[in-house]
Amino acid sequence: MANLTPLRCGFALSAIGWFLCFVTQAAEPSTFTVLPHVISLTGQDSTASVLVQRQSGHAIGSQMTSGVRLKIANPDVAQIVDGQVVARSDGATELLVSIADSDRIARIPVVVKDTTTPPRWQFESHVQAILSKQGCNSGACHGALAGKGGFRLSLRAYDSVADHFAITRQDRGRRIEPADPGRSLLLSKPSTLIPHKGGLRLPENSRDYHILAAWIADGSPGPDPENAQLKGIEVLPRDQVLRPGDKQQLIVLAHYADGRTEDVTHWTKFNATNEVVANVSEQGAVEVLGSGKGAVVAWFASRVAIASLVVPTDAKIHSEAYSRFQVNNLIDEILLDEWKSLGLAPSDNCSDATFLRRASLTATGMLPSPDRVRQFIADTTPNKRVRLVDELLSSSAYVDYWSYQWSDLLLVNGNLLRPDAVAAFYKWIRTQVENNTAWDDFARQIVLARGDSFEQGATNFYSIHQDPESLTENTCQAFMGLSIGCAKCHNHPLEKWTNDQYYAMANLYSRVRAKGWGGDARSGDGRRTLVVLERGDLIQPSTGVPQPPAPLDAEPIDLDDVSDRREVLAQWLTNANNRYFSRAIVNRVWANYMGVGLVESVDDLRTSNPASSERLLNALADYLVEHHFDLKSLMRLIMSSQTFQLSAQATAENEKDQRFYCRYYPQRLMAEVMHDAIVSVTGVPTKFTEIEFAGADKVATNAYPAGTRSLELYDSAVANYFLKTFGRHQRRITCDCERSDQPTVVQVLHLSNGDTLNNKLSDPTGVCTQWETTGLAPEQVIEHAYLASLCRFPTVDESAKLLELIKEADAANVPRREAYEDLLWSLMTSSEFLFTY
């Protein structure tokens, strides 16, 4: 290709640059509410915090502190001390709450019991809570693998039995002095009576210090199965609408199986999920910093609860900004409601050309042909977009695209499987997509696979993951968006999953065996026969005995049951009540079409990572369940929504929006789609070769058929520099992080002067040669180039400038073909080509 720098610069349209009225000031609320609605106190001097919140309709507003009056109807039962309700004697009374300049009095029931019995502090509920809050069992302190200073605790208190032994019995019980608790190392070190590398953690006058001292004096009782188990925690307020600058104290309540409710705010760890909106102190005090949606995660005793915040912008939105938006389905209805609450307004509708390109790329991974673009733009029928969606979802390209996506998810990889096994696994996946197999049935067939791996392609899932632990982790990640690997060694630090739950679920896979080839991907033919035994268990390492098999959050099954345990797993996994399963696939599909997942990262659905719209995610999950897990039905709903059809152009009313879909979010084409788009525009296919092993070395063998597209490469082991450079999914681990869309200098250089574009543009069989040999007028060439690459007609201004550049090239005796090459180069390196808008 000629070095026509001025001409290329002229063509480079944006070449390397890819690197209601509700929101008016709310009136003061006419009422207030008190949280919690009922106060339950158990034990001598037990306490409960109280919040007084502004309320407008059903919306909970900011916290009220000025002018608030608290009074106990019967001070013999309870009293107000430093703003808290403190138990005095058994009985029932009321907390009377009023505010200045208001005649209303809120009456909150107060129930007090067991005050005649001195509090008996429990190891799991109280001692472990104190140690966790102070960070004593964190990974940076005694919770480290080797502990600190010879003292080791389980990470975040996952093993209370071992921790109790380490505190009270290890090293001859040197850490505990029952006769003089203050001399116990457990107290003297964190109070710095004795030098402590961790610094001051427990001042001598603190409540936690006195609780530990009382526990030691009581004989340091350990974990007791008779103690009521923690059922869950609750954070208050759970949902509220705030303004920048507001401050809010949170309350966390622990609910126990015996009906006891305890205020554990003091022992709870807090963190904010979006610190642009709000941050939170160690004591649970929230400070609102900016507009948007935020959340605070509360963690106590391996339980997690979320407090959600909505902070509207101060923009003045006129009602017509919403009236232009046409509500097509539940997606639009929910998001419109949320935009109003946030003070955001949607962009205008996108053009027909943009919709055609966007829908084609996100549903099939292919650009529409120039003729199809002309036809669609010329079509004046009102339902043409709906018909286009149906056309795309019925195409063979749709099958190719989504077969490739699920091959990424299930790791169809020639580095993990032998060639025939790869082909069998992919064929099985493609058949399911082609038949529009319901997603629950798809997952069920994977979990329950058995038989010959060449004839029953789904069994290759068990060839890739060959032990119960790997099967458990990858099942959870692929089908529920849960990364539970941390629970293999200890309770999950970011979720509620325990070490016992991990091994209970892994034990469901313990009886799966394979006959035949057992080597790696370099030996054997890969043929295996999957069978399920009637006996066999996985040992829980921390106890030395099998954990009763059970899916997460489900009841265990009998260890002696000889039936296929995977039946229980499959039934639980795909059950309509398993919200992780339905929400995970909805989030993956939504992210594909909308550019940003409702939950980010797409496969990180832990409770402590809430969705940008929990309401929409739950509604879509319900829709999928109601439609029997029909993914095409879900995709049709998304693509038919007005939200999917919004312009990507930001407006003054939504320029700050990053997660609420007021406009379409441009997304860079994934590597395979970008490659196929380049092939489509230039008319020059890539020759792909399969990879085979010779001993320990990879060698290239027979080529794929001519014209094979990237999305038809079912084996990720096929080598291609372009695909690797632009972040193709390597299919090594079940994680969306295996694919990258991050821009790099190497990518820019490859587009600017790499072999892929240059060789295809200069290829004598390509489209540039055809334009030159057929004698097409420059105007026709420009139009065809735009239709093929950007799926739109050039503007009058673009055409005029490009024609002028071609005339300048002609005057300089530059071959017309080289000018056409530079025209296509400039279009295919523009952000408009490289992104879905």
Side-chain angles (χ1 to χ4, degrees):
M1 182 178 296
N3 182 20
L4 304 177
T5 304
L7 184 57
R8 280 209 167 178
C9 290
F11 281 137
L13 307 177
S14 55
I16 312 302
W18 61 285
F19 230 103
L20 265 161
C21 299
F22 175 91
V23 187
T24 57
Q25 281 294 329
E28 284 297 310
S30 58
T31 187
F32 65 90
T33 189
V34 180
L35 300 174
H37 298 312
V38 176
I39 296 175
S40 176
L41 298 171
T42 303
Q44 196 176 90
D45 296 328
S46 56
T47 63
S49 300
V50 177
L51 299 175
V52 181
Q53 304 288 144
R54 291 181 174 86
Q55 184 172 14
S56 180
H58 295 292
I60 302 296
S62 58
Q63 182 178 356
M64 302 178 71
T65 55
S66 178
V68 173
R69 295 188 290 266
L70 305 178
K71 181 181 178 181
I72 296 294
N74 184 354
D76 292 334
V77 175
Q79 295 178 354
I80 302 297
V81 179
D82 296 330
Q84 289 189 310
V85 181
V86 181
R88 291 299 182 231
S89 64
D90 291 4
T93 184
E94 289 182 324
L95 169 67
L96 308 179
V97 183
S98 61
I99 58 174
D101 303 323
S102 173
D103 295 331
R104 178 178 172 236
I105 297 178
R107 298 177 177 272
I108 307 301
V110 177
V111 178
V112 181
K113 58 184 179 180
D114 294 342
T115 56
T116 57
T117 304
R120 194 164 190 266
W121 304 110
Q122 299 175 7
F123 184 76
E124 289 185 293
S125 296
H126 304 110
V127 175
Q128 291 283 55
I130 293 171
L131 297 179
S132 296
K133 178 66 176 182
Q134 300 305 325
C136 302
N137 52 27
S138 69
C141 198
H142 299 290
L145 183 62
K148 290 285 184 181
F151 180 31
R152 180 179 181 274
L153 295 170
S154 64
L155 184 66
R156 298 203 180 206
Y158 84 88
D159 190 344
S160 288
V161 173
D163 289 346
H164 183 262
F165 177 83
I167 293 170
T168 64
R169 300 290 185 269
Q170 192 179 52
D171 297 334
R172 299 183 179 179
R174 61 188 288 265
R175 298 182 178 93
I176 295 294
E177 288 288 346
D180 188 357
R183 295 177 56 200
S184 301
L185 291 179
L186 187 67
L187 288 174
S188 58
K189 281 215 164 190
S191 64
T192 64
L193 182 64
I194 294 176
H196 181 227
K197 288 185 178 181
L200 179 63
R201 294 288 175 175
L202 286 175
E204 286 188 75
N205 60 351
S206 68
R207 181 183 179 221
D208 287 351
Y209 181 97
H210 290 296
I211 288 174
L212 289 183
W215 172 74
I216 294 171
D218 193 33
S220 309
D224 186 348
E226 297 299 319
N227 290 337
Q229 296 297 305
L230 176 64
K231 292 175 61 179
I233 65 171
E234 176 186 15
V235 60
L236 299 173
R238 189 178 64 180
D239 300 289
Q240 61 182 143
V241 179
L242 298 174
R243 296 281 176 178
D246 283 348
K247 297 182 186 301
Q248 173 69 53
Q249 177 63 49
L250 300 178
I251 290 176
V252 179
L253 302 178
H255 300 288
Y256 292 88
D258 60 358
R260 174 167 55 97
T261 297
E262 188 170 358
D263 188 331
V264 294
T265 308
H266 176 68
W267 297 317
T268 299
K269 282 185 169 291
F270 299 93
N271 70 278
T273 63
N274 185 354
E275 294 190 344
V276 173
V277 174
N279 59 27
V280 63
S281 72
E282 290 185 359
Q283 292 73 39
V286 176
E287 181 180 9
V288 180
L289 304 177
S291 60
K293 274 189 178 182
V296 173
V297 179
W299 179 86
F300 173 79
S302 295
R303 302 301 176 96
V304 176
I306 300 289
S308 299
L309 317 172
V310 173
V311 186
T313 68
D314 56 3
K316 305 294 190 294
I317 309 295
H318 296 290
S319 58
E320 66 179 57
Y322 301 118
S323 62
R324 294 194 303 266
F325 181 78
Q326 178 180 331
V327 175
N328 291 344
N329 55 37
L330 66 89
I331 295 171
D332 302 328
E333 181 181 349
I334 291 172
L335 287 178
L336 179 60
D337 189 47
E338 295 200 347
W339 296 335
K340 290 178 178 180
S341 71
L342 287 164
L344 300 170
S347 295
D348 290 331
N349 206 14
C350 70
S351 66
D352 284 340
T354 297
F355 179 79
L356 173 63
R357 188 174 192 271
R358 179 188 299 172
S360 299
L361 287 171
T362 54
T364 68
M366 288 185 65
L367 291 172
S369 68
D371 288 342
R372 184 68 181 99
V373 177
R374 288 190 181 94
Q375 179 189 32
F376 189 76
I377 292 175
D379 189 350
T380 59
T381 56
N383 66 337
K384 67 179 183 180
R385 294 193 179 189
V386 174
R387 287 189 285 109
L388 174 66
V389 170
D390 289 335
E391 172 190 320
L392 294 172
L393 296 180
S394 302
S395 66
S396 60
Y398 163 87
V399 177
D400 291 337
Y401 180 71
W402 285 98
S403 298
Y404 196 93
Q405 296 275 24
W406 304 144
S407 295
D408 280 352
L409 182 67
L410 297 174
L411 309 185
V412 182
N413 183 349
N415 290 322
L416 303 175
L417 297 170
R418 299 293 289 135
D420 289 340
V422 170
F425 202 2
Y426 176 78
K427 180 181 178 181
W428 178 85
I429 293 171
R430 197 178 197 286
T431 299
Q432 308 314 307
V433 177
E434 194 169 27
N435 294 338
N436 195 32
T437 299
W439 186 249
D440 59 337
D441 191 33
F442 183 97
R444 192 179 298 111
Q445 290 186 56
I446 290 282
V447 172
L448 296 177
R450 63 167 70 200
D452 188 292
S453 61
F454 288 5
E455 297 175 4
Q456 308 294 331
T459 61
N460 287 288
F461 181 76
Y462 289 84
S463 300
I464 296 170
H465 315 294
Q466 296 187 15
D467 58 79
E469 294 91 339
S470 295
L471 287 164
T472 297
E473 293 174 22
N474 286 280
T475 298
C476 290
Q477 189 73 72
F479 294 114
M480 294 188 292
L482 295 177
S483 177
I484 68 167
C486 291
K488 182 177 182 178
C489 300
H490 48 72
N491 290 354
H492 202 296
L494 301 175
E495 258 296 8
K496 65 180 182 178
W497 313 121
T498 67
N499 183 240
D500 285 345
Q501 285 179 301
Y502 176 96
Y503 279 98
M505 186 158 177
N507 206 10
L508 294 168
Y509 280 119
S510 62
R511 295 177 179 177
V512 180
R513 299 289 187 274
K515 299 179 180 179
W517 167 72
D520 59 21
R522 295 174 175 81
S523 61
D525 63 0
R527 194 178 201 115
R528 309 166 86 231
T529 300
L530 199 72
V531 297
V532 180
L533 306 181
E534 293 184 351
R535 300 291 177 189
D537 286 293
L538 178 68
I539 300 300
Q540 153 69 294
S542 65
T543 62
V545 297
Q547 192 71 29
L552 299 176
D553 275 349
E555 293 298 318
I557 61 177
D558 192 337
L559 277 167
D560 296 325
D561 191 334
V562 298
S563 61
D564 188 350
R565 292 172 174 177
R566 299 178 306 161
E567 293 279 359
V568 174
L569 173 60
Q571 182 179 1
W572 171 85
L573 176 68
T574 61
N575 191 285
N577 294 324
N578 182 1
R579 303 296 288 173
Y580 286 108
F581 180 73
S582 53
R583 283 164 54 101
I585 188 58
V586 161
N587 195 51
R588 288 186 190 277
V589 172
W590 178 269
N592 175 82
Y593 285 102
M594 300 302 298
V596 177
L598 288 161
V599 175
E600 284 288 337
S601 299
V602 166
D603 51 5
D604 185 15
L605 266 67
R606 54 191 159 86
T607 305
S608 53
N609 184 31
S612 59
S613 174
E614 286 288 327
R615 179 182 168 193
L616 179 57
L617 182 56
N618 287 329
L620 291 175
D622 290 339
Y623 177 91
L624 185 64
V625 170
E626 290 166 6
H627 289 77
H628 310 291
F629 292 95
D630 181 353
L631 294 188
K632 274 193 181 181
S633 180
L634 173 66
M635 294 175 190
R636 187 176 291 108
L637 182 79
I638 295 172
M639 297 176 74
S640 300
S641 69
Q642 188 72 8
T643 303
F644 179 73
Q645 301 177 45
L646 291 176
S647 168
Q649 183 65 47
T651 67
E653 292 87 1
N654 63 34
E655 60 186 356
K656 295 181 180 180
D657 170 35
Q658 300 294 328
R659 291 289 306 278
F660 307 113
Y661 311 100
C662 291
R663 63 181 186 277
Y664 190 79
Y665 303 131
Q667 52 180 314
R668 203 206 73 189
L669 303 183
M670 61 188 250
E672 299 85 344
V673 172
M674 188 187 300
H675 179 275
D676 289 348
I678 291 171
V679 170
S680 172
V681 173
T682 61
V684 181
T686 297
K687 296 178 181 178
F688 295 106
T689 54
E690 294 181 354
I691 299 299
E692 187 59 89
F693 288 101
D697 299 320
K698 291 182 180 180
V699 296
T701 58
N702 56 305
Y704 275 78
T708 299
R709 295 182 296 115
S710 297
L711 289 173
E712 295 173 321
L713 298 175
Y714 53 81
D715 184 357
S716 67
V718 176
N720 181 273
Y721 180 77
F722 182 93
L723 298 181
K724 180 180 179 181
T725 298
F726 284 89
R728 172 177 62 174
H729 199 299
Q730 297 299 304
R731 300 183 184 172
R732 295 169 298 192
I733 59 174
T734 306
C735 179
D736 197 60
C737 59
E738 278 282 271
R739 179 178 295 281
S740 172
D741 61 357
Q742 294 301 307
T744 67
V745 173
V746 175
Q747 293 171 3
V748 174
L749 294 175
H750 191 65
L751 287 174
S752 179
N753 201 34
D755 291 342
T756 304
L757 258 66
N758 282 346
N759 290 351
K760 291 186 184 302
L761 289 170
S762 61
D763 192 294
T765 65
V767 69
C768 293
T769 300
Q770 297 172 23
W771 289 339
E772 184 180 42
T773 57
T774 55
L776 284 180
E779 295 88 347
Q780 294 174 296
V781 169
I782 292 170
E783 180 179 290
H784 190 280
Y786 268 78
L787 291 172
S789 58
L790 306 185
C791 304
R792 66 173 176 86
F793 289 100
T795 65
V796 173
D797 187 52
E798 287 169 338
S799 292
K801 289 180 179 179
L802 293 172
L803 284 171
E804 184 63 30
L805 287 168
I806 292 175
K807 289 180 182 178
E808 291 177 9
D810 289 344
N813 294 320
V814 174
R816 183 68 65 80
R817 174 197 168 79
E818 293 182 3
Y820 291 161
E821 290 177 9
D822 287 348
L823 166 62
L824 279 184
W825 176 89
S826 64
L827 292 176
M828 289 192 293
T829 55
S830 70
S831 60
E832 191 174 354
F833 177 81
L834 298 169
F835 285 76
T836 303
Y837 280 91

